[in-house]
Amino acid sequence: MAKAYSYIMRTKWVALLAAVLLLIVFGRTVNSPALTKSAIVLGVGIDYDEDARQFIVTAQSAIMATSSSSDSGATTSYVTYTCTGKTISSALDDISTKMGLIVSLAHCEVLFVSKSVLKLDRLQLIYPLTGMYALREQAVVLTGDTAPREMLALRVGTSISAPFYLQTALTNMEGTDGMIRTTVKTLLARSLSRSRAAVIPYLSAKKMQDQPIDQEGEQKDNYEFDLSRTLAFNYTDSYVLEKDLSEILAIYLSTTTYGALNYTSDKGESVDFRLLKKNVKTSAKGRSVTVEIKLTADLLDVQFVDTDKVLTGADKPIKDAAKALAKQLEDRMTALYEKSKQLNIDFLGLQAKAYQSVGRSLEEDCLSTISFTPKITIDVKEAA
């Protein structure tokens, strides 16, 4: 018995050693291209020419180049290439050929699409990017008032790369000023739901009036981006929501909420609240959908309030302002609902929610038959 046990243990260690040797040998022979041979794509732009029935694909890449100087390391430059093709993959392959580098979307965080692209089958649009080019499902999707090839090439004052700026801004500022971080995964999930509608940030750009100044002097041709608006769309129509409506929509849909909310009274009294956290609970009873939004905030700033003391969150003027602001936000939510019915774009996801209650008997395209009631409260925390 002891000999059998000893034989088994020796065999186990021999097998384990063989497996380790195989991993070492074959692991060292895997073809892994060097950074100097790869184009690390930071952002992809996709447009669609309906007349020519072809895609216009743009990729902005970070390219690692090794300096010939012995005392210099690798440097990074940003280049933007655009190619057309009957398919997205053929256009990306042409970009790879033009650059002479291997295109990789594994680090791409921004997918900028035109409104014409959003009318296409989104599953067929996204699958080549995620399936064959390793685009991350957490990449942010957005659109704007400028063609993708032009938008991605713009220079931003705080960053050379426009996609890098967009990635950072939408991550750090989600849920405030209308910023909604809609990922590739979220876009597909909402597109395939009963509501068949989604929202993505709508980007506008304008040239900076006062250009940034660095150690080399005033920079030139920098643009500033406006992400305060949102595009709501389904497969047939789209609509740009302005800042006030986008702000409450961001609170409703975003996973997290940052930034400040302002209340200004008829007398000109102005109070800013800094959002700390939120809780959104949506329920449906038949075709009646109710959303309860509970916001927790602290007092950020007070101006033009007639008082002889420093106000805190515990004071009546501040609590009254929070209550009035909550009522304003409720009115905006109701306005969003009315706008969605008018456009017949279910960007609030009400049909999907009602389907959970009604079941299969809920007919398609029934947004006009669904009622919606928002309830919003703001709890102001006292300063420590």
Side-chain angles (χ1 to χ4, degrees), residues 318-376:
I318 304 305
K319 290 186 175 296
D320 289 345
K323 186 176 181 180
L325 176 58
K327 180 62 171 63
Q328 285 185 357
L329 296 179
E330 282 185 2
D331 292 341
R332 292 183 198 174
M333 281 296 298
T334 301
L336 273 177
Y337 163 65
E338 296 296 338
K339 178 61 70 173
S340 71
K341 284 204 305 180
Q342 175 190 342
L343 300 169
N344 198 28
I345 303 176
D346 187 17
F347 52 83
L348 294 175
L350 302 184
Q351 292 180 90
K353 199 65 187 179
Y355 180 76
Q356 298 175 10
S357 177
V358 177
R360 295 183 179 179
S361 61
L362 185 71
E363 65 273 17
E364 298 282 349
D365 196 17
C366 62
L367 180 58
S368 60
T369 70
I370 297 175
S371 64
F372 178 67
T373 304
K375 299 178 181 178
I376 299 178

Side-chain angles (χ1 to χ4, degrees), residues 51-71:
D51 295 329
R53 296 180 64 85
Q54 64 180 5
F55 292 95
I56 306 168
V57 180
T58 302
Q60 185 180 97
S61 306
I63 298 178
M64 305 296 294
T66 304
S67 174
S68 58
S69 174
S70 59
D71 58 350

